[in-house]
Amino acid sequence: MKLNATTELIPITWPEFSQIHPFAPREQTEGYAHMIRDLESDLAAITGMDATTVQPNSGAQGEYAGLRAIRAYQASQGQGQRNVCLVPESAHGTNPASAVMAGLKVVIVKCDSKGNLDLVDLEAKAKKHAEFLSAVMITYPSTFGVFEEGVLRAIEIVHENGGQVYMDGANMNAQVGLTSPGHMGADVCHLNNHKTLAIPHGGGGPGVGPICVKKHLAPFLPGHPELVNADGTPQSTVGPVSAAPYGSAGVLPVTWSYVKLLGGRGMTQVSKTAILNANYMANRLRDHYSILFANQNGMCAHEFILDMRPFGKSAGIQVIDIAKRLQDYGFHPPTMSWPVPNTIMIEPTESESKEELDKFCDALISIRQEIREIEEGKQSREDNILVNAPHTISKVSAEEWTHPYSRQRAAYPLPYLRERKFWPSVARVDDAFGDRNLMCSCPPIETYQ
Protein backbone atom coordinates (compact mmCIF):
# COMPACT_ATOMS: atom_id res chain seq x y z
CA MET A 1 0.00 0.00 0.00
CA LYS A 2 0.93 3.66 -0.11
CA LEU A 3 3.52 5.24 2.13
CA ASN A 4 1.72 7.71 4.40
CA ALA A 5 3.12 11.23 4.70
CA THR A 6 3.72 12.50 8.23
CA THR A 7 2.14 15.83 7.29
CA GLU A 8 -1.14 14.03 6.53
CA LEU A 9 -1.03 12.00 9.74
CA ILE A 10 -0.20 14.75 12.25
CA PRO A 11 -3.73 16.32 12.33
CA ILE A 12 -5.37 13.11 13.58
CA THR A 13 -3.33 13.49 16.78
CA TRP A 14 -4.77 16.93 17.52
CA PRO A 15 -7.41 16.80 20.29
CA GLU A 16 -9.68 19.03 18.19
CA PHE A 17 -10.13 16.01 15.89
CA SER A 18 -9.25 13.01 18.04
CA GLN A 19 -11.23 13.88 21.17
CA ILE A 20 -14.58 14.82 19.62
CA HIS A 21 -17.46 12.46 20.39
CA PRO A 22 -19.50 11.40 17.32
CA PHE A 23 -22.68 12.73 18.97
CA ALA A 24 -21.22 16.01 20.22
CA PRO A 25 -23.57 19.00 19.84
CA ARG A 26 -23.37 20.49 16.36
CA GLU A 27 -22.38 23.92 17.66
CA GLN A 28 -19.20 22.29 19.03
CA THR A 29 -18.25 20.62 15.73
CA GLU A 30 -18.77 23.31 13.12
CA GLY A 31 -15.16 23.21 11.94
CA TYR A 32 -15.14 19.42 11.79
CA ALA A 33 -18.41 19.43 9.82
CA HIS A 34 -17.01 22.04 7.42
CA MET A 35 -13.97 19.84 6.73
CA ILE A 36 -16.21 16.82 6.12
CA ARG A 37 -18.46 18.74 3.71
CA ASP A 38 -15.38 20.03 1.92
CA LEU A 39 -14.00 16.50 1.62
CA GLU A 40 -17.32 15.08 0.41
CA SER A 41 -17.41 17.75 -2.30
CA ASP A 42 -13.85 16.92 -3.37
CA LEU A 43 -14.60 13.19 -3.52
CA ALA A 44 -17.66 13.84 -5.65
CA ALA A 45 -15.49 15.86 -8.05
CA ILE A 46 -12.78 13.16 -8.15
CA THR A 47 -15.34 10.47 -9.02
CA GLY A 48 -17.45 12.55 -11.39
CA MET A 49 -20.48 12.19 -9.13
CA ASP A 50 -22.94 14.61 -7.52
CA ALA A 51 -23.10 13.62 -3.84
CA THR A 52 -21.02 11.76 -1.27
CA THR A 53 -21.30 10.21 2.17
CA VAL A 54 -18.29 9.25 4.28
CA GLN A 55 -20.38 7.15 6.67
CA PRO A 56 -19.31 3.63 5.54
CA ASN A 57 -16.37 2.24 7.53
CA SER A 58 -14.96 0.02 4.78
CA GLY A 59 -15.14 -0.67 1.07
CA ALA A 60 -17.47 -3.62 1.71
CA GLN A 61 -19.75 -1.43 3.82
CA GLY A 62 -19.68 1.10 0.99
CA GLU A 63 -20.78 -1.59 -1.43
CA TYR A 64 -23.68 -2.46 0.83
CA ALA A 65 -24.66 1.21 1.23
CA GLY A 66 -24.46 1.80 -2.53
CA LEU A 67 -26.62 -1.21 -3.36
CA ARG A 68 -29.13 -0.15 -0.70
CA ALA A 69 -29.32 3.28 -2.32
CA ILE A 70 -30.03 1.64 -5.68
CA ARG A 71 -32.75 -0.56 -4.20
CA ALA A 72 -34.37 2.35 -2.37
CA TYR A 73 -34.36 4.45 -5.56
CA GLN A 74 -35.88 1.65 -7.60
CA ALA A 75 -38.58 1.10 -4.97
CA SER A 76 -39.40 4.82 -5.14
CA GLN A 77 -39.90 4.41 -8.90
CA GLY A 78 -42.32 1.52 -8.43
CA GLN A 79 -39.66 -1.00 -9.43
CA GLY A 80 -39.28 -2.84 -6.16
CA GLN A 81 -39.31 -6.17 -7.99
CA ARG A 82 -35.77 -5.53 -9.27
CA ASN A 83 -33.67 -7.94 -7.22
CA VAL A 84 -30.99 -9.35 -9.56
CA CYS A 85 -27.37 -8.23 -9.35
CA LEU A 86 -24.89 -9.20 -12.07
CA VAL A 87 -21.40 -9.85 -10.67
CA PRO A 88 -18.35 -10.75 -12.85
CA GLU A 89 -16.48 -13.90 -11.85
CA SER A 90 -13.36 -11.69 -11.44
CA ALA A 91 -15.03 -9.62 -8.71
CA HIS A 92 -13.73 -9.21 -5.20
CA GLY A 93 -15.47 -11.64 -2.84
CA THR A 94 -17.18 -8.81 -1.00
CA ASN A 95 -19.20 -7.92 -4.13
CA PRO A 96 -21.53 -10.94 -4.10
CA ALA A 97 -21.57 -10.89 -0.28
CA SER A 98 -22.72 -7.25 -0.23
CA ALA A 99 -25.34 -7.98 -2.88
CA VAL A 100 -26.79 -10.84 -0.83
CA MET A 101 -26.85 -8.65 2.29
CA ALA A 102 -28.75 -6.02 0.30
CA GLY A 103 -31.38 -8.64 -0.55
CA LEU A 104 -30.27 -9.23 -4.13
CA LYS A 105 -29.97 -12.45 -6.09
CA VAL A 106 -26.46 -12.82 -7.54
CA VAL A 107 -25.98 -13.90 -11.15
CA ILE A 108 -22.36 -14.50 -12.17
CA VAL A 109 -21.04 -13.08 -15.46
CA LYS A 110 -18.16 -14.82 -17.22
CA CYS A 111 -14.77 -13.33 -18.10
CA ASP A 112 -12.69 -14.21 -21.15
CA SER A 113 -9.21 -15.75 -21.14
CA LYS A 114 -7.63 -12.27 -20.95
CA GLY A 115 -9.56 -11.36 -17.83
CA ASN A 116 -12.02 -9.04 -19.57
CA LEU A 117 -15.75 -9.05 -18.93
CA ASP A 118 -17.52 -11.32 -21.44
CA LEU A 119 -19.87 -8.79 -23.05
CA VAL A 120 -21.84 -11.48 -24.88
CA ASP A 121 -22.58 -13.27 -21.62
CA LEU A 122 -23.32 -9.96 -19.87
CA GLU A 123 -25.82 -8.92 -22.53
CA ALA A 124 -27.52 -12.31 -22.58
CA LYS A 125 -27.99 -12.30 -18.80
CA ALA A 126 -29.03 -8.64 -18.68
CA LYS A 127 -31.75 -9.32 -21.26
CA LYS A 128 -32.81 -12.55 -19.56
CA HIS A 129 -33.28 -10.78 -16.22
CA ALA A 130 -34.32 -7.37 -17.62
CA GLU A 131 -37.59 -7.22 -15.68
CA PHE A 132 -35.81 -7.94 -12.40
CA LEU A 133 -32.35 -6.46 -13.11
CA SER A 134 -31.31 -4.16 -10.29
CA ALA A 135 -27.58 -3.59 -10.79
CA VAL A 136 -24.23 -4.74 -12.05
CA MET A 137 -21.04 -4.48 -9.98
CA ILE A 138 -17.97 -3.65 -12.07
CA THR A 139 -14.41 -3.17 -10.82
CA TYR A 140 -12.34 -0.83 -13.01
CA PRO A 141 -9.53 -1.53 -13.63
CA SER A 142 -10.51 -5.16 -13.12
CA THR A 143 -9.33 -7.26 -10.20
CA PHE A 144 -7.03 -8.96 -12.71
CA GLY A 145 -5.12 -5.68 -13.16
CA VAL A 146 -6.43 -4.82 -16.64
CA PHE A 147 -8.36 -1.83 -17.95
CA GLU A 148 -11.61 -3.38 -19.19
CA GLU A 149 -11.73 -2.37 -22.85
CA GLY A 150 -15.47 -2.98 -23.03
CA VAL A 151 -16.44 -1.14 -19.86
CA LEU A 152 -18.43 1.59 -21.64
CA ARG A 153 -20.43 -0.97 -23.58
CA ALA A 154 -21.01 -2.97 -20.40
CA ILE A 155 -22.48 0.12 -18.72
CA GLU A 156 -24.70 0.75 -21.75
CA ILE A 157 -26.00 -2.84 -21.73
CA VAL A 158 -27.08 -2.63 -18.10
CA HIS A 159 -28.73 0.77 -18.50
CA GLU A 160 -30.55 -0.42 -21.63
CA ASN A 161 -32.06 -3.22 -19.57
CA GLY A 162 -33.19 -1.02 -16.70
CA GLY A 163 -30.36 -1.66 -14.24
CA GLN A 164 -28.05 0.65 -12.33
CA VAL A 165 -24.24 0.48 -12.45
CA TYR A 166 -22.20 0.09 -9.28
CA MET A 167 -18.49 0.66 -9.87
CA ASP A 168 -16.21 -0.85 -7.25
CA GLY A 169 -13.58 1.79 -6.50
CA ALA A 170 -10.97 -0.56 -5.03
CA ASN A 171 -8.64 0.25 -7.93
CA MET A 172 -9.26 4.00 -8.17
CA ASN A 173 -5.53 4.62 -7.78
CA ALA A 174 -5.33 3.98 -11.53
CA GLN A 175 -8.25 6.31 -12.35
CA VAL A 176 -7.96 9.55 -10.39
CA GLY A 177 -7.42 12.49 -12.73
CA LEU A 178 -7.42 10.29 -15.85
CA THR A 179 -11.06 9.23 -15.90
CA SER A 180 -13.82 8.67 -13.34
CA PRO A 181 -16.77 6.38 -12.68
CA GLY A 182 -19.18 9.23 -13.30
CA HIS A 183 -17.52 10.12 -16.61
CA MET A 184 -17.93 6.50 -17.73
CA GLY A 185 -21.61 6.45 -16.82
CA ALA A 186 -21.68 4.63 -13.46
CA ASP A 187 -24.46 5.57 -11.04
CA VAL A 188 -22.64 4.88 -7.78
CA CYS A 189 -19.13 3.98 -6.69
CA HIS A 190 -17.20 3.60 -3.49
CA LEU A 191 -13.69 4.69 -2.63
CA ASN A 192 -11.23 2.94 -0.35
CA ASN A 193 -9.75 5.95 1.43
CA HIS A 194 -7.42 3.46 3.12
CA LYS A 195 -6.01 2.55 -0.30
CA THR A 196 -6.43 5.35 -2.85
CA LEU A 197 -6.55 8.30 -0.48
CA ALA A 198 -3.71 7.68 1.96
CA ILE A 199 -5.30 6.44 5.19
CA PRO A 200 -3.00 3.69 6.55
CA HIS A 201 -4.25 0.28 5.45
CA GLY A 202 -4.44 -2.95 7.41
CA GLY A 203 -4.47 -4.10 10.98
CA GLY A 204 -8.25 -4.12 11.12
CA GLY A 205 -8.81 -0.43 10.48
CA PRO A 206 -9.98 2.16 10.91
CA GLY A 207 -11.08 2.28 7.29
CA VAL A 208 -13.24 4.67 5.33
CA GLY A 209 -15.28 3.52 2.32
CA PRO A 210 -17.29 6.56 1.18
CA ILE A 211 -19.81 6.21 -1.62
CA CYS A 212 -20.36 8.79 -4.33
CA VAL A 213 -23.59 8.86 -6.33
CA LYS A 214 -25.33 10.60 -9.22
CA LYS A 215 -28.05 13.05 -8.21
CA HIS A 216 -30.96 10.63 -8.67
CA LEU A 217 -29.48 8.43 -5.92
CA ALA A 218 -28.50 11.29 -3.57
CA PRO A 219 -31.77 11.22 -1.56
CA PHE A 220 -31.09 7.56 -0.76
CA LEU A 221 -27.66 7.86 0.82
CA PRO A 222 -27.54 6.42 4.35
CA GLY A 223 -29.01 8.71 6.96
CA HIS A 224 -28.59 8.85 10.73
CA PRO A 225 -30.60 10.21 13.68
CA GLU A 226 -27.89 12.85 14.12
CA LEU A 227 -28.14 14.00 10.50
CA VAL A 228 -31.13 16.33 10.32
CA ASN A 229 -32.11 19.41 8.34
CA ALA A 230 -32.52 22.86 9.88
CA ASP A 231 -36.23 22.16 10.48
CA GLY A 232 -35.44 18.92 12.29
CA THR A 233 -36.51 16.58 9.51
CA PRO A 234 -34.16 13.69 8.64
CA GLN A 235 -31.75 14.24 5.76
CA SER A 236 -32.49 10.75 4.43
CA THR A 237 -35.27 8.20 4.73
CA VAL A 238 -32.70 5.40 4.47
CA GLY A 239 -31.21 4.08 7.72
CA PRO A 240 -27.53 4.28 8.69
CA VAL A 241 -24.83 1.72 7.92
CA SER A 242 -22.61 2.90 10.77
CA ALA A 243 -23.20 3.73 14.42
CA ALA A 244 -21.61 7.16 13.91
CA PRO A 245 -23.01 9.71 11.45
CA TYR A 246 -19.66 10.23 9.70
CA GLY A 247 -18.21 6.75 10.22
CA SER A 248 -14.50 6.77 11.06
CA ALA A 249 -14.37 10.56 11.18
CA GLY A 250 -11.18 10.60 13.23
CA VAL A 251 -9.03 9.65 10.23
CA LEU A 252 -10.72 11.88 7.65
CA PRO A 253 -8.10 14.66 8.13
CA VAL A 254 -5.60 12.27 6.48
CA THR A 255 -7.57 12.16 3.23
CA TRP A 256 -8.49 15.85 3.39
CA SER A 257 -4.78 16.72 3.69
CA TYR A 258 -3.79 14.29 0.92
CA VAL A 259 -6.29 15.85 -1.50
CA LYS A 260 -5.41 19.45 -0.61
CA LEU A 261 -1.65 18.93 -0.69
CA LEU A 262 -1.63 17.20 -4.07
CA GLY A 263 -4.47 18.98 -5.84
CA GLY A 264 -5.88 17.77 -9.13
CA ARG A 265 -2.57 17.87 -10.99
CA GLY A 266 -0.73 16.00 -8.23
CA MET A 267 -3.36 13.25 -7.93
CA THR A 268 -3.29 12.78 -11.71
CA GLN A 269 0.47 12.34 -11.50
CA VAL A 270 -0.05 9.78 -8.73
CA SER A 271 -2.25 7.67 -11.03
CA LYS A 272 0.21 7.93 -13.91
CA THR A 273 3.14 6.97 -11.69
CA ALA A 274 1.29 3.99 -10.19
CA ILE A 275 0.54 2.67 -13.69
CA LEU A 276 4.09 3.36 -14.86
CA ASN A 277 5.61 1.57 -11.85
CA ALA A 278 3.47 -1.52 -12.37
CA ASN A 279 4.30 -1.76 -16.06
CA TYR A 280 8.01 -1.18 -15.41
CA MET A 281 8.08 -4.06 -12.97
CA ALA A 282 5.99 -6.30 -15.20
CA ASN A 283 8.37 -5.73 -18.09
CA ARG A 284 11.40 -6.49 -15.93
CA LEU A 285 9.85 -9.73 -14.72
CA ARG A 286 8.11 -11.06 -17.83
CA ASP A 287 11.23 -12.92 -19.04
CA HIS A 288 11.35 -14.82 -15.75
CA TYR A 289 7.69 -15.37 -14.85
CA SER A 290 4.43 -15.67 -16.75
CA ILE A 291 2.19 -12.63 -16.34
CA LEU A 292 -1.39 -13.81 -16.33
CA PHE A 293 -3.36 -10.86 -17.71
CA ALA A 294 -2.49 -7.92 -19.95
CA ASN A 295 -4.21 -5.91 -22.66
CA GLN A 296 -3.63 -6.35 -26.39
CA ASN A 297 -0.51 -4.19 -26.12
CA GLY A 298 0.94 -6.31 -23.32
CA MET A 299 0.30 -3.61 -20.72
CA CYS A 300 -1.31 -3.82 -17.29
CA ALA A 301 -3.05 -1.22 -15.16
CA HIS A 302 -1.68 -0.40 -11.68
CA GLU A 303 -1.12 -4.04 -10.67
CA PHE A 304 -0.29 -7.38 -12.26
CA ILE A 305 -0.35 -11.08 -11.45
CA LEU A 306 2.64 -13.45 -11.61
CA ASP A 307 1.74 -17.09 -12.23
CA MET A 308 3.59 -19.45 -9.87
CA ARG A 309 1.51 -22.54 -10.67
CA PRO A 310 3.98 -24.20 -13.10
CA PHE A 311 6.66 -24.46 -10.38
CA GLY A 312 4.62 -26.96 -8.39
CA LYS A 313 5.13 -29.56 -11.10
CA SER A 314 8.62 -28.52 -12.25
CA ALA A 315 10.24 -28.05 -8.83
CA GLY A 316 7.76 -28.89 -6.08
CA ILE A 317 7.61 -25.19 -5.20
CA GLN A 318 4.35 -23.48 -4.25
CA VAL A 319 3.54 -19.79 -4.04
CA ILE A 320 3.82 -19.95 -0.24
CA ASP A 321 7.49 -20.97 -0.58
CA ILE A 322 8.21 -17.95 -2.78
CA ALA A 323 6.37 -15.64 -0.37
CA LYS A 324 8.36 -16.99 2.59
CA ARG A 325 11.64 -16.68 0.68
CA LEU A 326 10.94 -13.03 -0.09
CA GLN A 327 11.27 -12.38 3.66
CA ASP A 328 14.91 -13.48 3.44
CA TYR A 329 15.38 -10.71 0.88
CA GLY A 330 13.85 -8.16 3.26
CA PHE A 331 10.42 -7.87 1.65
CA HIS A 332 6.96 -8.41 3.03
CA PRO A 333 5.28 -10.69 0.47
CA PRO A 334 2.57 -9.10 -1.69
CA THR A 335 -0.99 -10.43 -2.09
CA MET A 336 -0.85 -14.20 -2.48
CA SER A 337 -3.29 -16.63 -4.17
CA TRP A 338 -5.84 -13.94 -4.99
CA PRO A 339 -7.67 -13.45 -7.26
CA VAL A 340 -6.09 -16.59 -8.79
CA PRO A 341 -4.81 -19.44 -6.56
CA ASN A 342 -1.03 -20.00 -6.46
CA THR A 343 -0.22 -16.57 -7.92
CA ILE A 344 1.22 -13.32 -6.58
CA MET A 345 -0.40 -9.96 -7.25
CA ILE A 346 1.98 -7.00 -7.23
CA GLU A 347 0.72 -3.43 -6.75
CA PRO A 348 3.67 -1.05 -6.28
CA THR A 349 1.59 2.18 -6.06
CA GLU A 350 3.31 5.50 -6.70
CA SER A 351 5.15 5.51 -3.38
CA GLU A 352 8.27 3.47 -4.06
CA SER A 353 11.47 4.76 -5.67
CA LYS A 354 12.91 3.11 -8.76
CA GLU A 355 15.73 1.79 -6.57
CA GLU A 356 13.22 -0.02 -4.35
CA LEU A 357 11.28 -1.36 -7.34
CA ASP A 358 14.53 -2.70 -8.80
CA LYS A 359 15.46 -4.37 -5.50
CA PHE A 360 12.14 -6.16 -5.43
CA CYS A 361 12.50 -7.25 -9.06
CA ASP A 362 16.06 -8.41 -8.39
CA ALA A 363 14.80 -10.48 -5.46
CA LEU A 364 12.15 -12.20 -7.58
CA ILE A 365 14.62 -12.82 -10.41
CA SER A 366 17.07 -14.32 -7.92
CA ILE A 367 14.32 -16.55 -6.52
CA ARG A 368 13.50 -17.70 -10.05
CA GLN A 369 17.14 -18.76 -10.42
CA GLU A 370 16.88 -20.69 -7.14
CA ILE A 371 13.82 -22.47 -8.51
CA ARG A 372 15.69 -23.24 -11.72
CA GLU A 373 18.44 -24.94 -9.70
CA ILE A 374 15.81 -27.26 -8.24
CA GLU A 375 14.39 -27.93 -11.71
CA GLU A 376 17.88 -28.82 -12.96
CA GLY A 377 18.60 -31.08 -9.99
CA LYS A 378 21.25 -28.80 -8.47
CA GLN A 379 19.16 -28.38 -5.32
CA SER A 380 17.07 -30.97 -3.53
CA ARG A 381 13.29 -30.87 -4.00
CA GLU A 382 12.81 -31.81 -0.34
CA ASP A 383 15.52 -29.77 1.42
CA ASN A 384 16.13 -26.53 -0.45
CA ILE A 385 16.47 -22.83 0.16
CA LEU A 386 12.80 -22.10 -0.62
CA VAL A 387 10.92 -24.77 1.31
CA ASN A 388 12.98 -23.93 4.41
CA ALA A 389 12.49 -20.16 4.15
CA PRO A 390 12.45 -17.82 5.94
CA HIS A 391 15.82 -18.14 7.69
CA THR A 392 16.02 -16.33 11.02
CA ILE A 393 19.24 -15.01 12.54
CA SER A 394 19.06 -17.66 15.27
CA LYS A 395 18.78 -20.35 12.63
CA VAL A 396 21.72 -19.28 10.45
CA SER A 397 23.92 -18.60 13.50
CA ALA A 398 23.16 -21.92 15.19
CA GLU A 399 26.08 -24.28 15.76
CA GLU A 400 24.41 -27.04 13.76
CA TRP A 401 23.62 -26.59 10.05
CA THR A 402 22.36 -29.63 8.15
CA HIS A 403 21.11 -28.17 4.90
CA PRO A 404 22.84 -28.78 1.53
CA TYR A 405 23.10 -25.01 0.81
CA SER A 406 25.26 -22.52 2.69
CA ARG A 407 24.25 -20.22 5.51
CA GLN A 408 25.49 -17.31 3.39
CA ARG A 409 23.08 -18.11 0.53
CA ALA A 410 20.25 -18.51 2.98
CA ALA A 411 20.78 -15.16 4.69
CA TYR A 412 22.49 -12.99 2.06
CA PRO A 413 21.28 -14.04 -1.40
CA LEU A 414 22.00 -10.56 -2.85
CA PRO A 415 24.88 -8.16 -2.02
CA TYR A 416 22.74 -5.28 -0.70
CA LEU A 417 21.55 -7.48 2.16
CA ARG A 418 25.03 -7.43 3.75
CA GLU A 419 24.72 -3.68 4.16
CA ARG A 420 21.10 -3.53 5.27
CA LYS A 421 18.94 -6.51 6.16
CA PHE A 422 15.61 -6.87 7.92
CA TRP A 423 15.68 -10.24 9.62
CA PRO A 424 12.48 -12.29 9.82
CA SER A 425 11.71 -12.93 13.48
CA VAL A 426 9.89 -16.25 13.02
CA ALA A 427 10.93 -19.26 10.93
CA ARG A 428 8.59 -21.36 8.78
CA VAL A 429 5.22 -22.12 10.31
CA ASP A 430 2.49 -24.35 8.94
CA ASP A 431 -0.06 -21.73 7.90
CA ALA A 432 -2.79 -24.15 6.86
CA PHE A 433 -2.53 -26.08 10.12
CA GLY A 434 -2.83 -22.86 12.08
CA ASP A 435 -5.87 -21.77 10.08
CA ARG A 436 -7.63 -25.08 10.70
CA ASN A 437 -6.67 -25.53 14.35
CA LEU A 438 -7.52 -22.40 16.25
CA MET A 439 -6.10 -21.92 19.72
CA CYS A 440 -7.60 -19.50 22.20
CA SER A 441 -4.97 -17.21 23.73
CA CYS A 442 -7.44 -15.47 26.05
CA PRO A 443 -6.89 -15.66 29.80
CA PRO A 444 -9.06 -18.31 31.51
CA ILE A 445 -12.42 -17.14 32.81
CA GLU A 446 -11.15 -17.57 36.38
CA THR A 447 -8.86 -14.57 35.80
CA TYR A 448 -11.87 -12.29 35.78
CA GLN A 449 -13.52 -13.72 38.91
Side-chain angles (χ1 to χ4, degrees), residues 17 30-40 249 252-254 256:
F17 288 118
E30 291 179 2
Y32 217 141
H34 178 84
M35 181 203 70
I36 292 172
R37 288 193 300 270
D38 194 20
L39 177 59
E40 288 178 338
L252 291 178
V254 179
W256 186 91

Side-chain angles (χ1 to χ4, degrees), residues 22 107 110 245 295 388:
V107 174
K110 297 177 183 176
N295 67 11
N388 294 324

Side-chain angles (χ1 to χ4, degrees), residues 47-363:
T47 57
M49 297 293 186
D50 301 309
T52 303
T53 176
V54 296
Q55 191 180 114
N57 286 304
S58 72
Q61 204 173 59
E63 293 167 12
Y64 173 64
L67 293 172
R68 268 199 347 170
I70 289 173
R71 297 216 70 192
Y73 164 74
Q74 290 170 338
S76 75
Q77 301 298 303
Q79 299 177 2
Q81 85 283 359
R82 294 190 176 275
N83 66 344
V84 171
C85 184
L86 302 179
V87 178
E89 61 184 7
S90 63
H92 193 287
T94 58
N95 284 186
S98 298
V100 170
M101 286 187 66
L104 295 165
K105 176 185 175 183
V106 174
V107 174
I108 300 299
V109 179
K110 297 177 183 176
C111 292
D112 63 24
S113 60
K114 295 182 179 179
N116 294 308
L117 198 59
D118 186 330
L119 295 179
V120 174
D121 190 51
L122 174 67
E123 187 163 18
K125 287 172 178 172
K127 288 181 177 179
K128 177 182 177 181
H129 300 284
E131 181 183 353
F132 299 98
L133 180 60
S134 177
V136 68
M137 300 185 81
I138 298 174
T139 303
Y140 187 81
S142 76
T143 306
F144 292 148
V146 177
F147 284 105
E148 292 272 3
E149 295 177 6
V151 65
L152 297 182
R153 178 58 188 148
I155 291 171
E156 286 178 359
I157 289 170
V158 174
H159 283 157
E160 288 168 0
N161 288 278
Q164 297 282 293
V165 176
Y166 182 100
M167 185 165 284
D168 187 313
N171 296 334
M172 275 294 293
N173 209 44
Q175 273 197 59
V176 178
L178 303 176
T179 184
S180 70
H183 174 73
M184 287 182 271
D187 301 289
V188 54
C189 71
H190 83 264
L191 292 164
N192 286 351
N193 281 21
H194 45 282
K195 287 181 68 179
T196 306
L197 297 170
I199 290 173
H201 193 191
V208 181
I211 58 170
C212 307
V213 299
K214 288 295 181 71
K215 60 183 178 182
H216 65 284
L217 294 179
F220 307 100
L221 290 171
H224 192 279
E226 290 289 317
L227 298 177
V228 294
N229 298 312
D231 60 0
T233 58
Q235 291 183 3
S236 174
T237 57
V238 178
V241 295
S242 171
Y246 299 110
S248 301
V251 291
L252 291 178
V254 179
T255 295
W256 186 91
S257 303
Y258 176 86
V259 172
K260 298 304 183 184
L261 288 168
L262 282 169
R265 186 178 300 176
M267 285 189 288
T268 302
Q269 189 62 34
V270 162
S271 299
K272 291 179 178 179
T273 305
I275 296 169
L276 175 65
N277 285 350
N279 279 280
Y280 171 73
M281 295 181 75
N283 276 279
R284 275 212 63 192
L285 294 169
R286 70 173 66 251
D287 290 339
H288 307 275
Y289 297 90
S290 172
I291 294 174
L292 272 188
F293 303 106
N295 67 11
Q296 59 186 4
N297 299 317
M299 306 293 278
C300 63
H302 65 307
E303 60 190 8
F304 59 97
I305 300 172
L306 296 183
D307 189 2
M308 307 301 180
R309 293 173 295 182
F311 304 137
K313 184 175 181 180
S314 68
I317 295 298
Q318 304 299 323
V319 67
I320 186 69
D321 302 315
I322 296 168
K324 301 287 189 184
R325 181 60 173 153
L326 275 169
Q327 295 181 42
D328 286 329
Y329 287 82
F331 289 102
H332 188 293
T335 302
M336 187 185 75
S337 288
W338 192 85
V340 180
N342 236 346
T343 64
I344 281 180
M345 172 181 276
I346 298 173
E347 180 183 353
T349 77
E350 75 285 353
S351 297
E352 306 295 347
S353 65
K354 182 176 178 295
E355 179 186 17
E356 196 68 14
L357 300 181
D358 282 329
K359 279 185 178 180
F360 188 77
C361 290
D362 290 342

